[in-house]
DNA sequence: CTCTTTTTGTCACACCTGTGATACCATTCG
DNA sequence: CGAATGGTATCACAGGTGTGACAAAAAGAG
């Protein structure tokens, strides 16, 4: 059987093309014909690697989910044990910056993820992936805060998740001109306040 | 000339129908024919009140922008002057809850706004409105923090905006099962920390 | 070589979209 | 009354969509 073609690689290429379309045209711009053109393939070929339009999209959201999951677990939580003050802030900051659109690669993933999250509101097909991601994120952050001995880790994790989500949406979408530096410093400020570094200078 | 029909009211009805479609089917579900069906009108009538598909959407995003703007300026900022502690938290909380999807009306507006914000990333048509909204929000919150004599109001406003955005996205989208109560308490917790009420109970 | 299986390519179909161009109705004005 | 105008209703067209059904090509297996 002629299996010259690396099937997995081809699928990856097609998904990558879908990512580019997601970025440039948004969710509704990802049609089979456009994906075929973007990946320099015939629509017949694309349909050979993906049964459906739907299954292509599911593969795409799964891919971005996997990548985000990998970013989440890149740094072991145990390594946070014992850290305090600015060292704790920096360690946590490094972990969470993995999820922020601070470079082109992460920007693409953030956009793709955002498009799917919004699409999932109406299209239940994508919910398993987005819900799994949200659950993983909640768990990892909560655990990290617990190891760092933060009071009420669940509540503080909720706030951090909200901050992350807001920052991602703001910087990905062009309504606030929220630059990379601003995103990072805003996150850092929030982490400092969460970890109760800088003991609240009250000025009166 | 037979002007029996209240033109503005009709336009409002159509926009309301567009809102319902935005909620139930998302941005790409808002077609002229569907809007016509949803508003119990003929497509010819819809096109009589709105030249374009595009101009209908612009009218819709403008409407939601106006409503959000009204919510932002509902409470005068001056009324915050002199407030401290829990009173300040509650006052600010009440203002900001206007923007959160805490009831059905606000939920619809949040969804509509979210759909347009995401759409605006790729479709520059909607940017003027979304950018104006973001600017207004930034200004109002910054002013409020200034009146409440918070240090570095701009930076703290940025964080509050991020929290609001994240909470809205999380509660509107079904990936985290973030209930109304949880949204409110999370916001309140953040405002308490911003206004430095509850002087950080460290437990060791 | 032939056979088999993968990969590519092409039609056609039904459906939905926005839109241009109308016609028709109804009501108010002169 | 007639006429003008706001409102309603259709039709047709070009363009895009996913998909079913194929055929053609290409390359390893025997």
């Amino acid at each position: 059987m002629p299996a010259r073609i690396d099937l997995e690689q081809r699928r990856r290429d097609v998904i990558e093309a879908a990512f580019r379309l997601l970025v440039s045209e948004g969710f509704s711009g990802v049609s089979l014909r456009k994906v075929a053109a973007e990946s320099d393939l015939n629509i017949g070929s694309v349909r050979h690697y993906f049964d459906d339009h739907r299954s292509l999209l599911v593969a795409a959201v799964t891919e971005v989910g996997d990548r985000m999951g990998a970013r989440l677990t890149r740094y072991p939580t145990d390594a946070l044990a014992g850290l305090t003050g600015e060292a704790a802030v920096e360690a946590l900051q490094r972990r969470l910056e993995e999820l922020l659109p601070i470079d082109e690669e992460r920007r693409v993933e953030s956009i793709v993820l955002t498009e799917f999250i919004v699409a999932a509101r109406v299209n239940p097909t994508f919910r398993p992936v987005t819900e799994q991601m949200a659950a993983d994120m909640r768990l990892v952050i909560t655990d990290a805060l617990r190891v760092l001995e933060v009071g009420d880790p669940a509540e503080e994790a909720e706030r951090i998740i909200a901050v992350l989500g807001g920052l991602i949406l703001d910087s990905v979408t062009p309504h606030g001109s929220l630059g990379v530096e601003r995103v990072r410093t805003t996150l850092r400020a929030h982490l400092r306040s969460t970890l109760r570094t800088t003991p609240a200078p009250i000025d009166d």
Side-chain angles (χ1 to χ4, degrees), chain A:
Chain A
M1 44 308 242
R4 280 168 330 342
I5 295 299
D6 183 345
L7 191 136
E8 285 306 318
Q9 183 54 43
R10 266 274 199 273
R11 282 174 64 96
R12 256 185 265 276
D13 291 345
V14 173
I15 289 177
E16 206 64 41
F19 278 16
R20 288 194 295 274
L21 276 174
L22 246 347
V23 170
S24 64
E25 308 202 19
F27 183 80
S28 61
V30 185
S31 72
L32 286 181
R33 286 172 177 85
K34 284 184 187 172
V35 168
E38 179 70 32
S39 57
D40 273 317
L41 289 177
N42 189 283
I43 185 178
S45 300
V46 174
R47 293 180 61 195
H48 181 250
Y49 296 106
F50 297 94
D51 297 344
D52 258 330
H53 180 230
R54 186 176 153 285
S55 76
L56 197 174
L57 295 177
V58 168
V61 73
T62 302
E63 172 66 24
V64 81
D66 288 350
R67 292 196 199 175
M68 285 289 186
R71 293 196 188 285
L72 266 175
T73 57
R74 181 160 300 176
Y75 301 96
T77 302
D78 302 341
L80 292 174
L83 294 183
T84 59
E86 203 60 18
V89 169
E90 278 310 311
L92 198 49
Q93 172 93 9
R94 199 174 314 129
R95 282 164 174 74
L96 297 183
E97 276 189 1
E98 288 284 333
L99 308 176
L100 290 182
I102 57 174
D103 57 23
E104 195 51 31
E105 184 183 339
R106 272 161 258 251
R107 211 183 94 88
V108 169
E109 293 177 16
S110 289
I111 290 176
V112 170
L113 181 61
T114 304
E115 293 283 338
F116 275 116
I117 285 178
V118 172
R121 185 183 65 81
V122 155
N123 196 330
T125 310
F126 311 122
R127 282 195 204 168
V129 177
T130 58
E131 284 175 4
Q132 181 66 44
M133 271 207 43
D136 289 352
M137 193 161 151
R138 194 162 267 111
L139 185 69
V140 168
I141 296 181
T142 306
D143 281 352
L145 293 183
R146 206 187 319 273
V147 168
L148 288 173
E149 293 176 1
V150 169
D152 203 344
E155 175 63 39
E156 294 298 333
E158 213 64 61
R159 273 172 68 200
I160 290 180
I161 289 174
V163 170
L164 287 174
L167 288 177
I168 291 176
L169 187 64
D170 267 30
S171 65
V172 143
T173 230
H175 61 147
S177 64
L178 200 56
V180 172
E181 273 321 302
R182 190 108 174 128
V183 168
R184 300 175 75 174
T185 60
T186 301
L187 174 60
R188 185 174 280 110
H190 184 72
L191 295 183
R192 283 212 183 96
S193 116
T194 298
L195 298 178
R196 295 206 194 82
T197 310
T198 64
I202 303 178
D203 49 329
D204 62 314

